[in-house]
Every structure is written in C-alpha cells, then in structure tokens.
Amino acid sequence: MPDDELRILFVADVVGHPGRDAVKSILPNLKKEVRAHLAIVNGENAAGGFGLTGKIAAELKGAGADVITTGNHVFAQKEFVPELPGLERVLRPANYPPGAPGQGSCVVEASGREVLVMNLMGRIFTAENLDDPFRAADAILAAHPDSKIVFCDMHAETTSEKTAMGWYLDGRASAVVGTHTHIPTADARVLTKGTAYVTDVGMVGPRDGCIGMDKDIVVQRFLTAMPSRFAVAPGPVTFNSVLVTINGSTGRATSIQRIDREHV
Ligand SMILES: [Fe+2]
C-alpha cells in the first residue's frame, strides 16, 4: 500500500566546505525527486573535515537535513562541546560514556509516523574507551518499546563490527547503515528479518582526495611518517546516499537503494 510506505534518505559523511556545498546543491531537489519523508545526514566531518559546529548544523538543516548524526570527530571543534546539548535533532554516538554532552537518539515525526533515530559508534580502531554499542542499542530499544520505525547510523571503521551490528539488530531496526570510512560498499540489501543494511554509505566529499583529504598531504605522511596537518581536498565532490523504503505498519524495510551523484 503506497500510503503506508515511508522513505528515508540517508546522506553519508559530509566533508568540509565542498561537501556542504554539494549537500546544499543536491539535497533539496533529491528529497523531492525520491519523495523522501525524512533526510538524515552524517555531519561529523562537515567543519573543515573534522567535527561540527552549531552554525554548520543549522546550515545542513537549512539544506534539508531533518536529523544530523556524527561519530568519532563529534567533539573535534571545541566550541561544539557546550553547543551540542542545545541542538535539537543533532546526535552524537549513544555509546559515549555517561557524562558526555548531547544525546545518542531522538524521535522525529515523518509522514505522520514516529521514527526513532539512533547513532552508535564502533570501538575497533576508533575509540576503545567507549561503551559497548550493542548494549547501547538494546538500551535505546528498551526505552522506546512502541517504536516500530528505527533508523541506526553505525559509525565504525571495521566492516565486521558494522556487519555484526546489522545482524544484531536484524528484525529490530528498520535500517542499519554504516558510516565513517568514506568509501561506499556494494552490499546494500535487506537482511533476512527485514532490516535494510549497508556496510558503508560513503561520503559527500572531494572525489580526488584521500577519503576527502588532500591526497598529496596524505601520501606524504605515509611516505615519511612525519606529522602534517590534513586539509580538505579541492575539486569535484562525490555525493553518496541511500534511500530506504520501509513498511510503516510493520517497521520492516522493503528496499535499500544507493543514490550516488557528483557535484562539480
Ligand atoms: Fe568518522
């Protein structure tokens, strides 16, 4: 039944000014084109490649981001630490230990239905001092027993940790999408119990860089092992996203489809 269908567009990690420009140029029309009821954008690299600010969060919301998720760089910009608690629908990973500012989940309305959005972060090669993301997901689901439509951004480095989270939440979340590596994976599918899953959505960032950063600086660091300051790469921007279609009555996903664009 088409009226029962909920469409959620998820836009991958926005990298710096070029990424923000691409979001502003592409997202408003794309939301209309795919008739998305909700757009979730990962903004954790939106401020110069590292972190987010309240001003930039407002910029992304102005372009159509209904919810902003983050990850390991969420507190990279010092000003954001006191700003985050005052920002609605801007999440940091839910498995930050107690005492960290901000929230890891929120409930938003889309097409007359409630959508629970949660942001989790893997620990392998990223932040070993975070709490367990699997148990954090359980706690959020237990706190929202009536939430049928659940969307999860699992921000993590390793494919195994993200795949494990997909299976762990299969049948309990409508979608689990991976972020952080900035490299899109070709495994978007609906898992056996109805959870849409992809290991990594990719990024909205410079195509001719090294995961969004200036390639010459990154290559030089690998060659010399000398410390250097990364900078966002120039040039055309890759825009990676996925559109998840969900049965509004059951909360189960019916499809997940990659939508990839370029912004020159
Ligand atoms: Fe990240």
Side-chain angles (χ1 to χ4, degrees):
M1 198 162 41
D3 290 341
D4 205 26
E5 203 177 73
L6 196 76
R7 287 180 296 281
I8 300 179
L9 181 67
F10 182 90
V11 179
D13 312 29
V14 178
V15 182
H17 204 284
R20 278 151 38 211
D21 281 350
V23 167
K24 282 185 253 183
S25 164
I26 293 173
L27 185 58
N29 287 334
L30 182 58
K31 274 181 89 173
K32 284 185 203 148
E33 187 186 318
V34 301
R35 293 174 293 123
H37 299 108
L38 190 73
I40 304 169
V41 176
N42 185 300
E44 83 130 4
N45 304 112
F50 299 96
L52 187 61
T53 65
K55 187 167 172 274
I56 290 173
E59 214 179 292
L60 294 173
K61 283 182 179 174
D66 300 300
V67 180
I68 297 172
T69 54
T70 56
N72 54 309
H73 293 305
V74 59
F75 298 121
Q77 304 291 330
K78 276 192 189 132
E79 65 185 271
F80 195 58
V81 178
E83 280 180 334
L84 179 59
L87 300 177
E88 281 186 26
R89 293 176 283 112
V90 180
L91 304 179
R92 48 95 172 136
N95 51 318
Y96 262 90
Q103 55 181 353
S105 65
C106 65
V107 175
V108 293
E109 190 272 338
S111 189
R113 295 187 186 275
E114 282 194 349
V115 179
L116 170 62
V117 183
M118 70 167 91
N119 193 181
L120 301 168
M121 194 170 127
R123 295 184 290 187
I124 303 173
F125 301 143
T126 45
E128 288 165 4
N129 51 354
L130 287 191
D131 290 344
D132 180 343
F134 295 87
R135 289 177 179 86
D138 285 340
I140 293 168
L141 292 175
H144 298 86
D146 298 328
S147 288
K148 274 188 188 162
I149 302 162
V150 179
F151 198 102
C152 174
D153 173 353
M154 172 63 174
H155 195 81
E157 179 73 38
T158 66
T159 50
S160 59
E161 201 172 14
K162 288 186 271 195
T163 310
M165 184 61 78
W167 285 119
Y168 189 64
L169 295 180
D170 187 21
R172 298 194 290 153
S174 313
V176 175
V177 299
T179 56
H180 176 69
T181 71
H182 297 189
I183 303 294
T185 57
D187 60 339
R189 60 173 284 207
V190 177
L191 301 178
T192 52
K193 292 181 184 166
T195 296
Y197 174 78
V198 64
T199 298
D200 208 296
V201 184
M203 69 171 175
V204 180
R207 183 194 68 187
D208 297 330
C210 190
I211 61 171
M213 295 293 139
D214 187 306
K215 63 182 187 307
D216 296 330
I217 299 172
V218 177
V219 170
Q220 204 54 30
R221 189 190 277 196
F222 275 107
L223 287 173
T224 64
M226 292 303 292
S228 51
R229 200 181 177 86
F230 285 152
V232 174
V237 168
T238 294
F239 179 102
N240 298 135
S241 64
V242 289
L243 179 68
V244 177
T245 305
I246 297 161
N247 180 315
S249 300
T250 65
R252 300 289 73 88
T254 50
S255 70
I256 176 170
Q257 152 194 9
R258 296 206 59 89
I259 298 177
D260 301 316
R261 299 275 164 91
E262 284 226 336
H263 177 69
V264 180

